[in-house]
Amino acid sequence: GSLMTTKHSQPQSTFAKSLTSTSTNTPYFKAAESTEIPSYVTKCPSNGLCSRLPPDCMTCNTNYSCIYGKPATFDCKVKPHVHCVDQNNYEQENFTINMTCQFCWQLATTDYVCTNSTNCMTVSCPRQRYNATCTVRDHIHCLGNRVFPKMLYCNWTGGYKWSTALALSITLGGFGADRFYLGQWREGLGKLFSFGGLGIWTLIDVLLIGVGYVGPADGSLYI
């Protein structure tokens, strides 16, 4: 009887050791997994104001029943591994953000960035459009998807040449020839009767046309 007990006690102790070793290793692997930093953390400034974090850094209870165009307040919470503070420089997790009640595709064009079409260049046809993918800027808050499709106007030209406009500005800019060429008749008459603003306006227009700041009056692009 004692022999049977001895024989079985050894495997049992070995099995107990294996359980012990497994149980001690398990927390180590869990800790290793928990230390993995999510990709969104790179977009989240550390120890900044919570209310100014990009939307990717927080989770908010959006209220789609808010009144369109009116100010709205939403309760938000920072995502894991994100650290931010309040106005008194105290770290916090729960906070509120103020925004205008509107969907992302209803934002102003300055609040999002869209893809450009490289093969959409038409002559004297500004009504042609192309499908673009737009992404809301990081500091803007809105309802719905932050990436959305949108129909945008193609780049177009009315046939104006940048080289011609610059040449006219250098040679006959004092008489307003550059502005007349670009279809800006009021500015052209102003330069003509002021002799190019006594030369000052002429020099300024040479710089503005040279860098492309001043273009055709119809909003088209140079050839």
Side-chain angles (χ1 to χ4, degrees), residues 50-167:
C50 294
S51 57
R52 294 185 180 179
L53 286 174
D56 291 339
C57 307
M58 64 181 76
T59 303
C60 299
N61 297 324
T62 53
N63 180 15
Y64 288 92
S65 62
C66 58
I67 302 175
Y68 172 74
K70 298 294 184 180
T73 302
F74 298 130
D75 295 325
C76 301
K77 182 179 181 179
V78 294
K79 290 183 177 180
H81 302 282
V82 177
H83 302 280
C84 61
V85 296
D86 58 9
Q87 297 289 345
N88 298 322
N89 206 29
Y90 289 108
E91 187 172 356
Q92 63 176 171
E93 293 184 358
N94 300 300
F95 57 96
T96 59
I97 60 169
N98 299 317
M99 56 176 281
T100 303
C101 180
Q102 59 184 347
F103 286 95
C104 295
W105 59 269
Q106 296 173 319
L107 292 170
T109 54
T110 55
D111 293 336
Y112 53 82
V113 180
C114 299
T115 56
N116 293 323
S117 177
T118 56
N119 57 356
C120 182
M121 184 74 175
T122 57
V123 179
S124 298
C125 185
R127 303 310 302 176
Q128 185 175 347
R129 299 191 182 195
Y130 70 97
N131 291 318
T133 301
C134 302
T135 305
V136 181
R137 298 184 183 274
D138 287 340
H139 64 284
I140 302 297
H141 297 276
C142 55
L143 300 175
N145 296 328
R146 299 184 61 80
V147 179
F148 53 90
K150 198 174 184 69
M151 294 291 292
L152 299 179
Y153 288 115
C154 295
N155 292 331
W156 70 288
T157 177
Y160 297 96
K161 292 184 177 181
W162 172 80
S163 58
T164 302
L166 182 60

Side-chain angles (χ1 to χ4, degrees), residues 169-176 178 190-207:
S169 183
I170 295 173
T171 57
L172 300 174
F175 302 99
D178 50 353
K191 291 182 70 174
L192 176 62
F193 291 111
S194 66
F195 300 102
L198 299 179
I200 299 176
W201 194 349
T202 302
L203 294 175
I204 293 176
D205 269 359
V206 170
L207 295 175

